[in-house]
Amino acid sequence: MSEDGERSIRPHERAGSLGRTIRAVAWSLIGLRKGSEYEQDVQRLNPLHIIAVGLAAVFLLVLGLIGLVNWVV
């Protein structure tokens, strides 16, 4: 319990929205992120959701690059 008597929420119990998670991962992949927005994401988003969306985004990026190379060659 926290000092003010409220139950603290563990990171994996946070209920962040899918859209906000996708937006956070997309901005992180291209490297453009404000420090204040990063802090908000750390407090609101579920780390397991971030990992899942990040892996899916990297997978799609790799598939897109493979498709682009096959299309060009």
Side-chain angles (χ1 to χ4, degrees), residues 1-9:
M1 294 184 76
S2 62
E3 293 178 6
D4 60 357
E6 294 180 11
R7 181 180 166 266
S8 63
I9 298 174

Side-chain angles (χ1 to χ4, degrees), residues 30 59-60:
I30 61 174
F59 180 73
L60 291 174

